[in-house]
Amino acid sequence: MRVDVEDLVQLYQQSCEHFAERPAIGVKKRGSWSWTSYRDLAERIDEVRGGLAGLGVAPGDVVAIVSNNRVEWAAACYATYGLEATLVPMYEAQRPGEWKFILGDCGASVVIVSSTEIFDRVLAMQPELPALRHVIGIELEASDQRSFAALTRAGAETPALAHRPSPERTAGLIYTSGTTGKPKGVILTHANLASNVRAMSRAFPLEPTDRTLSFLPWAHSFGQVAELHYGLSQGLSLALNDELPKLLDNLEEVRPTVLVAVPRIFNRIYESVTEQIAHRSAPVRRLFDDGIRSATRRAHGEHLGLVSRVELALDERLIFQRIREKLGGRLRFVMSASAALSVEVAELVDALGIPVFEGYGLTETSPAVTVNAPGQRKIGTVGRPLPGVRVEIDTSRGNAVGQGEIIVYGPNVMKGYHQRPEENAEVFTASGGLRTGDLGFVDEDGYLTITGRIKDQYKLENGKYVMPAPLEEQLKLSPYIASVMLHGANRPYNVALVVPAIDSVRRWAVERGITLTDPARDPRVRELVLDEVLARSRGFTGFEVPRAVLLIDEDFTTENDLLTPTLKIKRRNVEARWGKALDALYREALPRRHARAS
């Protein structure tokens, strides 16, 4: 359904009126799903808006929230917009020091937090945050006047009218995840965000009967716009995934028709499918592999012979349909963004009968820039620019012919970074384009391909540039590799830091009668992982392929500060922890297979 909105207050008001009886947001409680309708959501928004107004929130003020996705998050979001105030979302997974920095940098007067533990931590910071007048706890007892329940009670008793903000009014500051330094507040106006919703509604018109399983954090621009704002604009029903490990189970229960996700989720689906097939009989494995190849050929427009068509029909009935049922059985299509999706993963999901549409964007572009869309799709690319958006390639900043830095023009481009004039000067061109820091190229059909990120690339001793992310994503498709990071700046070749997938490694050992005490230090496991690295690196240039591996038994997580809340590697932190051990690999003799090739 195409929408034409100028601001996010208009968006939610139209949706709550048009889809009043439809389920808006679903939450799993004690094993069953309960739904808040669009009408009920509108009432919650009204109550929170009245409560915030009673706390003195006025146009231009800042309301922050530290919470995972929940109904209260959505209500606080749209209530803040209706007061012409600015929303600043943060992640529960962030460190307290980051909450404190952001609260101080944005000058929040009110912060709404989820758990009592976070409430206590933020309350302790309040004396050092002079602008912060109120800390509200969602999970505090209703009798506590600082609770979210008390806020909504007060708002119901003393309502405040919603005001339509100017499109140029700042809707939110979304702070970047800070892989290399302090987070930066990206200033996004109502015009920015509404333009993205309008453009997406033209590329992906949905139906009010559609349903999704929401697990992308709304504190991130992709989850907030692609799921919450765009989803509500279409009358979508959003079921909130409770825990990532329960994702596949919840897909089967919720039975979504569309899914918005990041490559990490599709990789998990890929791993689940390939692991299941690996334990089937040889004839079933052959049938599956032949079916995937035939479906991929068909998707590329190739003609299939009679035998291939028969095999594909068998696969569809005996295998593919059952796999789709495990994913809910109703998926019409899936959308992927935030990082590069492996072609191998995209083609497998697509071959199962679930079309995959990959896109590209960043927080500074509200977020979408390009998308593959129905009737306009090329797997392996991130699609064409959205309506009203233009992409240029600055080849002066590239290291390969025809490639360069991606520059974006359009109504989705941010107003700037909050209180960062020097960085604004660096990121905007003289003609108003946004330098993304990403490298890529546009093909003859207008499709954009991402080749890496400028700040992540490094140079080997031989002068060759390495873009680590594409190969890292490919290596993580191995059932024996949980996480990986390449290392090789100013070195003769690449090596890799690898977190083994312990459960899969132990199954491999049991099948071979091997007893493992410490998998990360067992030379047989190291040999297994190195074999996997070499096998999965086929198709990459020889100088990119790691020649040695270091195994560690601690995964990259947000808790140990090795991942950002959006699940990107904090390379600087990983290097600080294991840099010396990685450097030591260069003093070891190369494995024989590499010694012969050198």
Side-chain angles (χ1 to χ4, degrees):
M1 183 182 74
R2 291 175 62 148
V3 297
D4 289 293
V5 295
E6 299 296 325
D7 61 78
L8 301 178
V9 173
Q10 182 186 21
L11 183 153
Y12 95 77
Q13 288 180 335
Q14 283 187 3
S15 293
C16 289
E17 179 181 349
H18 293 165
F19 311 116
E21 304 305 324
R22 293 279 307 154
I25 301 176
V27 178
K28 193 173 186 179
K29 296 179 179 178
R30 294 181 290 277
S32 62
W33 292 88
S34 62
W35 289 86
T36 298
S37 70
Y38 276 82
R39 173 177 283 117
D40 291 340
L41 178 61
E43 291 178 0
R44 295 293 296 276
I45 294 168
D46 289 346
E47 291 170 352
V48 178
R49 186 176 59 250
L52 291 175
L55 296 181
V57 175
D61 283 349
V62 176
V63 176
I65 184 167
V66 183
S67 173
N68 293 336
N69 299 356
R70 54 198 303 161
V71 174
E72 294 89 346
W73 200 108
C77 170
Y78 294 114
T80 299
Y81 297 154
L83 293 173
E84 299 182 79
T86 298
L87 183 77
V88 176
M90 289 174 277
Y91 305 87
E92 289 186 22
Q94 279 176 288
R95 291 175 173 262
E98 289 186 323
W99 299 333
K100 183 178 178 181
F101 172 82
I102 292 171
L103 288 169
D105 189 66
C106 72
S109 60
V110 177
V111 59
I112 299 168
V113 304
S114 56
S115 69
T116 55
E117 179 184 355
I118 296 175
F119 179 87
D120 290 339
R121 286 179 177 270
V122 174
L123 196 64
M125 303 172 188
Q126 191 174 10
E128 299 176 66
L129 298 167
L132 186 60
R133 302 193 305 269
H134 304 281
V135 182
I136 305 297
I138 294 174
E139 295 176 7
L140 291 183
E141 293 292 336
S143 57
D144 193 323
Q145 290 305 302
R146 302 167 299 177
S147 69
F148 195 84
L151 180 79
T152 58
R153 280 199 309 271
E157 293 168 1
T158 312
L161 291 176
H163 294 280
R164 288 277 305 279
S166 161
E168 296 307 316
R169 169 78 71 177
T170 299
L173 298 180
I174 298 183
Y175 279 77
T176 59
S177 49
T179 57
T180 58
K182 290 290 187 183
K184 295 178 291 190
V186 176
I187 305 171
L188 297 178
T189 66
H190 283 269
N192 289 148
L193 297 168
S195 75
N196 226 236
V197 172
R198 290 195 304 271
M200 289 174 68
S201 76
R202 285 153 178 73
F204 288 97
L206 300 179
E207 298 296 331
T209 52
D210 278 316
R211 175 177 290 191
T212 189
L213 181 64
S214 168
F215 57 87
L216 297 177
W218 296 342
H220 187 265
S221 59
F222 182 37
Q224 185 182 137
V225 177
E227 279 191 348
L228 181 61
H229 300 325
Y230 174 57
L232 292 187
S233 79
Q234 301 290 290
L236 208 67
S237 298
L238 292 85
L240 304 186
N241 190 61
D242 47 356
E243 296 178 40
L244 199 55
K246 296 179 181 178
L247 174 66
L248 294 178
D249 290 337
N250 287 338
L251 282 170
E252 201 166 358
E253 293 177 9
V254 171
R255 304 186 68 227
T257 57
V258 297
L259 187 67
V260 182
V262 294
R264 186 182 182 98
I265 301 305
F266 295 113
N267 290 351
R268 180 167 294 194
I269 293 172
Y270 173 93
E271 291 159 5
S272 175
V273 169
T274 53
E275 183 179 7
Q276 289 177 45
I277 296 299
H279 290 88
R280 304 291 292 274
S281 65
V284 171
R285 293 199 302 272
R286 282 196 299 272
L287 182 65
F288 176 81
D289 291 340
D290 290 343
I292 293 294
R293 280 193 292 270
S294 295
T296 301
R297 287 172 51 207
R298 183 178 63 184
H300 285 282
E302 294 184 34
H303 175 72
L304 299 182
L306 178 60
V307 173
S308 294
R309 293 200 303 273
V310 170
E311 287 177 340
L312 191 53
L314 285 172
D315 268 307
E316 172 63 31
R317 192 176 72 212
L318 300 177
I319 301 176
F320 294 173
Q321 185 175 343
R322 293 180 182 180
I323 293 172
R324 290 198 301 271
E325 287 297 326
K326 290 289 185 183
L327 303 176
R330 299 199 306 157
L331 280 173
R332 297 196 294 116
F333 63 82
V334 295
M335 299 166 59
S336 177
S338 183
L341 179 66
S342 162
V343 172
E344 186 176 346
V345 173
E347 289 186 338
L348 181 136
V349 176
D350 202 74
L352 293 175
I354 305 170
V356 178
F357 297 99
E358 188 174 5
Y360 162 73
L362 54 162
T363 298
E364 290 87 342
T365 55
S366 305
V369 173
T370 63
V371 294
N372 282 285
Q376 296 185 3
R377 183 178 70 142
K378 187 180 287 188
I379 288 180
T381 77
V382 292
R384 290 169 167 166
L386 284 168
V389 177
R390 180 163 57 91
V391 167
E392 290 184 359
I393 304 297
D394 180 0
T395 55
S396 70
R397 296 200 176 192
N399 296 304
V401 177
Q403 299 184 22
E405 184 178 15
I406 299 163
I407 300 177
V408 179
Y409 296 83
N412 56 331
V413 172
M414 68 171 181
K415 193 172 180 179
Y417 294 119
H418 180 61
Q419 297 180 345
R420 301 287 184 95
E422 298 85 1
E423 296 190 47
N424 287 333
E426 291 177 5
V427 79
F428 285 111
T429 67
S431 56
L434 177 80
R435 291 191 174 279
T436 64
D438 292 316
L439 295 169
F441 63 91
V442 177
D443 68 17
E444 65 279 4
D445 298 316
Y447 288 86
L448 177 66
T449 296
I450 308 298
T451 57
R453 184 137 181 89
I454 290 175
K455 69 180 181 182
D456 289 343
Q457 71 176 342
Y458 56 83
K459 194 177 354 179
L460 298 173
E461 272 185 3
N462 60 11
K464 300 287 188 181
Y465 281 92
V466 173
M467 291 291 183
L471 181 50
E472 289 167 348
E473 290 300 315
Q474 185 66 24
L475 295 180
K476 285 191 288 187
L477 297 183
S478 165
Y480 305 113
I481 297 175
S483 297
V484 60
M485 190 191 83
L486 298 190
H487 174 86
N490 302 312
R491 289 292 188 170
Y493 50 82
N494 274 335
V495 298
L497 181 72
V498 175
V499 182
I502 297 300
D503 290 343
S504 296
V505 167
R506 289 196 182 279
R507 281 195 296 271
W508 168 86
V510 169
E511 290 169 1
R512 288 156 181 77
I514 297 173
T515 301
L516 294 178
T517 54
D518 188 351
R521 289 168 180 77
D522 192 297
R524 295 164 295 187
V525 176
R526 184 177 181 181
E527 189 71 14
L528 166 69
V529 169
L530 186 56
D531 286 342
E532 285 290 301
V533 165
L534 296 177
R536 295 280 173 178
S537 297
R538 291 186 188 126
F540 286 82
T541 309
F543 67 80
E544 296 176 285
V545 180
R547 300 191 179 190
V549 297
L550 172 67
L551 305 187
I552 60 174
D553 54 13
E554 181 182 3
D555 203 354
F556 306 156
T557 67
T558 54
E559 288 74 21
N560 61 18
D561 206 27
L562 300 180
L563 285 183
T564 71
T566 53
L567 307 182
K568 293 183 175 67
I569 300 174
K570 289 190 174 183
R571 297 180 185 274
R572 179 183 295 179
N573 292 6
V574 175
E575 295 274 2
R577 292 274 296 276
W578 288 286
K580 290 183 179 179
L582 287 166
D583 288 339
L585 293 178
Y586 295 97
R587 295 191 290 273
E588 299 178 5
L590 280 175
R592 187 172 302 169
R593 72 198 84 175
H594 280 308
R596 285 199 301 267
S598 298

